[in-house]
């Protein structure tokens, strides 16, 4: 069978089993990290479980064949953003959070309601979505193609995001600096 | 082969965890982390759909989402530092006035 360029043939049975096993293992790690983020009271524990979530999501991207996104996920999310979070937690010397008392009625109604709603949604998605299975490494992600998209087809959004990042840098410097130091700089000029 | 719906369910679970954390957490930094969790869930569904339709532009969209998330994290954490400096607390229940 002739396949269109960049489209992979569906793999063998062992490959499919391996794909499913890897997906399940890292999906479970991912969900466990997300739930641990909610359960922990100290923000540093939450931050570290978020790193676990992002790392296992990077593996899920690799399974889908999106090597570029997996690399960016590890470098930008698990690297830069989480370091920023941990840095701020340590800078502010944040302690364990004080839990405020929620209403019991909301707990009694909300938790079963959420469970029923999510199970129903998942069941509809799994049974009636009408989508096809995704093969292992289905995305044809050559770096050259992505670069062509990023720097040619999506050039304007790319430049706009660069301006956005520039504004964000300036904004965070102004917001995080002490008011006295801004006054001092004004006087010096 | 994994059905696309499994990826969508995983992304939905992550998004739901993010929403729950946003609602029940009282520490402003943890609330911010829940927002990042929601963004990650959306990214996973983007990549899953891109893999389904063999469309590379989904990956580029994820890249843009990540850039916006990074900018948002930088500005948001700067705001958190400014709030902490004036209020000396990270509890959102105690940050309930707009004026300083």
């Amino acid at each position: 069978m002739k396949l269109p360029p960049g489209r992979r043939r569906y793999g063998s049975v062992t490959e499919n089993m391996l794909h499913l096993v890897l997906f399940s293992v890292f999906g479970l790690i991912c969900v466990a990290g997300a739930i641990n983020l909610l359960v922990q009271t100290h923000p540093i524990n939450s931050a570290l479980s978020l790193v676990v979530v992002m790392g296992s999501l990077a593996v899920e991207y690799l399974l889908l064949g999106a090597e570029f996104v997996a690399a960016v996920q590890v470098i930008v999310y698990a690297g830069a953003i989480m370091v920023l979070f941990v840095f701020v937690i340590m800078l502010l010397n944040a302690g364990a959070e004080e839990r405020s008392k929620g209403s019991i009625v909301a707990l009694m109604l909300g938790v079963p309601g959420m469970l029923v709603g999510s199970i129903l949604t998942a069941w509809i998605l799994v049974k009636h979505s009408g989508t096809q299975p995704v093969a292992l490494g289905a995305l044809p992600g050559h770096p050259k193609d992505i670069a062509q998209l990023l720097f040619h087809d999506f050039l304007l959004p790319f430049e706009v995001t660069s301006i956005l990042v520039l504004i964000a840098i300036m904004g965070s410097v102004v917001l995080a600096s002490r008011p006295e130091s801004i006054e001092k700089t004004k006087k010096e000029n | 082969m994994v059905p696309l719906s499994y990826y969508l369910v995983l992304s939905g679970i992550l998004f739901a965890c993010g929403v729950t954390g946003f609602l029940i957490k009282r520490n402003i930094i943890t609330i911010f982390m829940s927002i990042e969790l929601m963004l990650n869930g959306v990214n996973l569904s983007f990549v899953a759909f891109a893999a389904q339709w063999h469309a590379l532009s989904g990956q580029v969209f994820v890249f843009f989402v990540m850039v916006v998330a990074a900018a948002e994290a930088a500005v948001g954490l700067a705001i958190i530092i400014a709030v902490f400096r004036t209020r000396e607390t990270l509890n959102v229940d105690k940050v309930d006035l707009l004026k300083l």
Side-chain angles (χ1 to χ4, degrees), chain A residues 39-83:
Chain A
V39 172
Q40 295 290 338
T41 51
H42 201 284
I44 198 87
N45 296 342
S46 300
L48 293 179
S49 43
L50 192 55
V51 172
V52 171
V53 172
M54 284 162 178
S56 45
L57 265 182
V59 179
E60 299 280 355
Y61 294 149
L62 272 183
L63 288 178
L64 282 167
E67 291 95 357
F68 171 71
V69 177
V72 173
Q73 170 90 4
V74 171
I75 294 169
V76 174
Y77 259 127
I81 296 181
M82 289 323 294
V83 166

Side-chain angles (χ1 to χ4, degrees), chain A residues 8 49 61 63 75 101 122 142 151 155 179 183:
Chain A
R8 300 252 183 110
S49 43
Y61 294 149
L63 288 178
I75 294 169
K101 269 183 105 173
H142 299 295
F151 300 119
L155 185 64
E183 289 298 316

Side-chain angles (χ1 to χ4, degrees), chain A residues 56 62 64-65 73 81 84 92 107 111 118 150 155 159-160 162 167 176 179 184:
Chain A
S56 45
L62 272 183
L64 282 167
Q73 170 90 4
I81 296 181
L84 203 61
L92 301 184
L107 196 72
V111 172
S118 52
L150 198 56
L155 185 64
E159 294 299 332
V160 171
S162 69
I167 296 170
K184 206 175 141 198

Side-chain angles (χ1 to χ4, degrees), chain B residues 42-80:
Chain B
V42 174
N43 277 351
L44 181 64
S45 68
F46 256 129
V47 177
F49 276 121
Q52 168 91 58
W53 287 309
H54 302 275
L56 271 180
S57 38
Q59 291 194 50
V60 179
F61 267 68
V62 170
F63 176 74
F64 286 135
V65 171
M66 281 177 183
V67 172
V68 173
E72 174 228 323
V75 175
L77 288 170
I79 292 173
I80 289 173

Side-chain angles (χ1 to χ4, degrees), chain A residues 101-113:
Chain A
K101 269 183 105 173
S103 92
I104 295 178
V105 179
L107 196 72
M108 297 295 279
L109 289 178
V111 172

